[in-house]
Amino acid sequence: MAARIHGGAATALSTFNPKKLVAPSRTNLPAAARSSKRCIVAGGGSDASKKSLSVRHSQKLIANAAVATKAETSATTGTGHELLLFEALQEGLEEEMDRDPHVCVMGEDVGHYGGSYKVTKGLADKFGDLRVLDTPICENAFTGMGIGAAMTGLRPVIEGMNMGFLLLAFNQISNNCGMLHYTSGGQFTIPVVIRGPGGVGRQLGAEHSQRLESYFQSIPGIQMVACSTPYNAKGLMKAAIRSENPVILFEHVLLYNLKEKIPDEEYICNLEEAEMVRPGEHITILTYSRMRYHVMQAAKTLVNKGYDPEVIDIRSLKPFDLYTIGNSVKKTHRVLIVEECMRTGGIGASLTAAINENFHDYLDAPVMCLSSQDVPTPYAGTLEEWTVVQPAQIVTAVEQLCQ
Amino acid sequence: MATSFSATLPLHGSQENRLLLPPIRLAPPPSSFLGSTRSLTIPSSRRLYHAHASRRSPVVGVQEVVKEKKVTNSLLITKEEGLVLYEDMILGRSFEDMCAQMYYRGKMFGFVHLYNGQEAVSTGFIKLLTQSDSVVSTYRDHVHALSKGVSARAVMSELFGKVTGCCRGQGGSMHMFSKEHNMLGGFAFIGEGIPVATGAAFTSKYKREVLKQDCDDVTVAFFGDGTCNNGQFYECLNMAALYKLPIIFVVENNLWAIGMSHLRSTSDPEIWKKGPAFGMPGVHVDGMDVLKVREVAKEAVTRARRGEGPTLVECETYRFRGHSLADPDELRDAAEKAKYAARDPITALKKYLVENKLANEGELKTIEKKIDELVEEAVEFADASPQPGRSQLLENVFADPKGFGIGPDGRYRCEDPKFTEGTAQV
């Protein structure tokens, strides 16, 4: 991924054709900042080159204070090991379980079966049946059990075999997980991690293809993150387990077999931070989870057509990283949100509202949001394909916005 | 309707009535196919033993034991214990009466559910627990909190919505929490607390078996008859018995769920029978008699501490007031109310103490006076306490306030002093 970013930036610089681009670019960030290895855009927009070095430096420091910079990935340093996303999740989980004996896992088929997506494979043999608990099929009760255990000192990782099953646990997630820290006046903390695969898979049918991020996003007191690469999967898993807040970690059924090289040394990702996938100039594309890959595929086409999209994987679905997003909006002035969530009341809808509220003055065009259709995901392959956003639609939308 | 039902189905406690009940149906013998590598730890003969809980389990036979003890003139409690029990019940009663007064004077609002009449259950169980044992309750939780050790001041302030309340005024009547006393709430939806109690019991087992700590904490989950038709109850009975968790499920069967009679809503109204269906003993006890409850509780708590697993205890009890202070309580029959008022647990204990020369009227009067003063002082304290300030609104939403996210300026919102003060010390 990191290699891609640098390659992308270099390509953008080389293929940028001022005649082809219709909308004038307002930003004139110095080249040094653009090809910076840091994935966070340091400092403000157009005035950066004019400000003194010390101011720019202090701006960078402020940025770093709030938002931890992504470490040099192994892709650039050359060491590290390659693995699949589910293995990265397993590695993160195992490391945290080794580190803190209070971390435990509960869910259906997590123990002897190794997890229905093999995320907990081998953990029951290593840590025992009580630390990796095979529960009966009672989502509401075992989620509540995890919450009660968290209140009394443990740090459970609760797995929903499919995110959709967590609808049965909604009572516990909403009333207890999110709210008990507040209603108890701060006396009890609920350091649970609720994780599971969601999203539209390969013809899994409507009920197994649900995206619950929109349903959970209003619950006060929880944080939601979505992982998309082996690197951030492991990092977010570790960060979520170490966090004192209840965190819902959304994984995607189709991303479990992604392969990437990740560092050997220990690292965690910041839970509240968005990830800059590809810096650009013309338009900001905000996305998360599987749609990141559709966007990157569209980005290839767009770059060939002369556009320079900035792609941000928002990662933190609740709360939004308004700093990274804001800096991007201030630079490009156009926003396209690409998500797999449903159109109505989805993450995109909230994000559109947040951007309009905070960065209205910086927008040259209305925020456009591409989401899945408001239909129960059909079984038929063709219909299912049309339910989610495809790269061609993204290209069309960008062209439309950049006119 | 309800009264005609209750006439035909004698549910309530006495030994004579019990024998009229239909005989216990034998549970079908367990199949030899287990489908898992886990071996069956309960031998089948003991399983059947539990299925005949009413006849042969020593836990139910306690009522006979109580009778026998009375016959042989040895008392169930000492004087000190008796006075502790009496004081606790008087505290519960006085506090709840004061709550009603304060509510009608406009000092507290919302839903307030009072515990009058059920004090024997709370006192009988909770006075056997240590500070590190956990209690989980429902919205009728003031007296559970008081019995567990939360001060009357803290509970009253919480009801008034003041900062000095046990939950800083953020929980209210239905959410009494105390980390110090391991009162795990206070839940507004019925059945919601049972999984949390199961989790607390799970932690106890985890501490013992994984962390290798010396931990024999038990958890007591209180809930009502209406909850026993809710899925969460059954799911937790299953898990508690499966993992042999140190938990006691206490059903405070007061026959009414707001206006729904237990007999109208439940296919088999005998809740204690549902325990053996999951592999744990099910006990029925007279919940208006604190000594009987205490004997049953002792056995159940000891069982849990020894690691023998959960128990389901059904306490037949009654609430003298309506479901909540907003309930006009017109549906319940006056005769039924009178019948239970005659079985007032406080009067019964008083009679027992005086008759068995454990205490005299004077001592009991002193206790009553002391509690009156305590409750009055609690009201004064709550009145004088300040209301929460604006800055408290966003505190404690997150344990780690970075959860509010990064603002457009690049800083965490929680770093902006105007946004929130961060997690405050309680």
Side-chain angles (χ1 to χ4, degrees), chain A residues 34-333:
Chain A
R34 256 188 264 151
S35 56
S36 162
K37 284 202 157 100
R38 296 204 182 279
C39 294
I40 306 301
V41 178
S46 48
D47 297 320
S49 53
K50 297 191 191 109
K51 283 194 180 133
S52 69
L53 194 66
S54 59
V55 174
R56 253 188 293 153
H57 184 60
S58 61
Q59 276 181 337
K60 237 188 191 173
L61 280 177
I62 293 169
N64 294 348
V67 179
T69 54
K70 181 177 171 185
E72 293 290 331
T73 66
S74 53
T76 47
T77 58
T79 57
H81 53 288
E82 205 174 49
L83 40 54
L84 304 173
L85 196 144
F86 75 86
E87 288 168 346
L89 287 166
Q90 188 198 350
E91 213 176 77
L93 186 51
E94 197 173 336
E95 281 175 20
E96 289 304 301
M97 287 179 83
D98 277 326
R99 183 176 171 267
D100 183 356
H102 292 91
V103 178
C104 56
V105 184
M106 22 182 112
E108 294 157 16
D109 274 332
V110 295
H112 295 188
Y113 194 72
S116 51
Y117 291 93
K118 299 290 172 256
V119 175
T120 48
K121 189 171 171 190
L123 296 183
D125 291 326
K126 183 173 174 187
F127 295 108
D129 275 347
L130 203 59
R131 270 191 93 179
V132 186
L133 189 73
D134 274 323
T135 60
I137 305 174
C138 47
E139 277 77 9
N140 202 13
F142 73 68
T143 306
M145 188 165 96
I147 291 166
M151 283 169 78
T152 41
L154 300 186
R155 306 185 76 93
V157 176
I158 301 168
E159 173 172 314
M161 191 186 271
N162 185 287
M163 265 287 162
F165 302 168
L166 291 180
L167 286 173
L168 291 154
F170 210 107
N171 181 6
Q172 292 293 333
I173 294 174
S174 168
N175 286 342
N176 290 349
C177 183
M179 300 201 201
L180 279 188
H181 184 69
Y182 191 78
T183 43
S184 68
Q187 291 181 85
F188 291 100
T189 55
I190 325 266
V192 295
V193 177
I194 299 175
R195 50 160 292 268
V200 177
R202 292 258 178 272
Q203 297 186 248
L204 298 177
E207 285 162 37
H208 282 83
S209 311
Q210 297 190 74
R211 283 79 72 200
L212 295 200
E213 38 287 8
S214 56
Y215 306 166
F216 288 140
Q217 67 173 324
S218 296
I219 300 173
I222 56 157
Q223 279 186 256
M224 304 201 302
V225 287
C227 63
S228 49
T229 65
Y231 179 84
N232 64 33
K234 179 175 172 187
L236 289 174
M237 170 73 96
K238 287 170 74 89
I241 293 174
R242 291 189 197 185
S243 171
E244 293 300 314
N245 297 334
V247 179
I248 305 185
L249 172 59
F250 290 91
E251 303 154 11
H252 198 286
V253 277
L254 293 180
L255 298 183
Y256 278 129
N257 288 321
L258 278 180
K259 198 181 266 198
E260 190 188 1
K261 211 175 198 183
I262 64 170
D264 287 328
E265 55 276 1
E266 199 185 26
Y267 68 94
I268 59 172
C269 289
N270 196 339
L271 280 179
E272 296 87 19
E273 182 194 317
E275 186 182 321
M276 177 69 70
V277 183
R278 181 192 187 281
E281 296 287 321
H282 296 163
I283 182 170
T284 301
I285 307 183
L286 302 171
T287 182
Y288 65 92
S289 194
R290 181 190 168 211
M291 285 297 119
R292 169 185 172 139
Y293 297 95
H294 282 206
V295 166
M296 290 313 289
Q297 206 178 327
K300 267 195 234 166
T301 318
L302 286 168
V303 161
N304 287 335
K305 290 191 176 188
Y307 293 98
D308 185 22
E310 177 154 293
V311 180
I312 294 177
D313 182 343
I314 59 174
R315 246 168 43 183
S316 173
L317 304 179
K318 179 180 160 108
F320 294 130
D321 177 4
L322 288 178
Y323 180 66
T324 311
I325 294 171
N327 280 347
S328 182
V329 174
K330 287 175 191 172
K331 185 168 66 152
T332 66
H333 312 289

Side-chain angles (χ1 to χ4, degrees), chain B residues 2 79 82 127 129 137 163 193 197 218 256 259 265 334 347 351 358 398:
Chain B
K79 175 175 177 151
K127 283 300 160 197
L129 302 178
S137 177
V163 179
V218 304
W256 291 89
S265 67
T347 330
K351 191 155 161 273
L358 288 172
F398 290 102

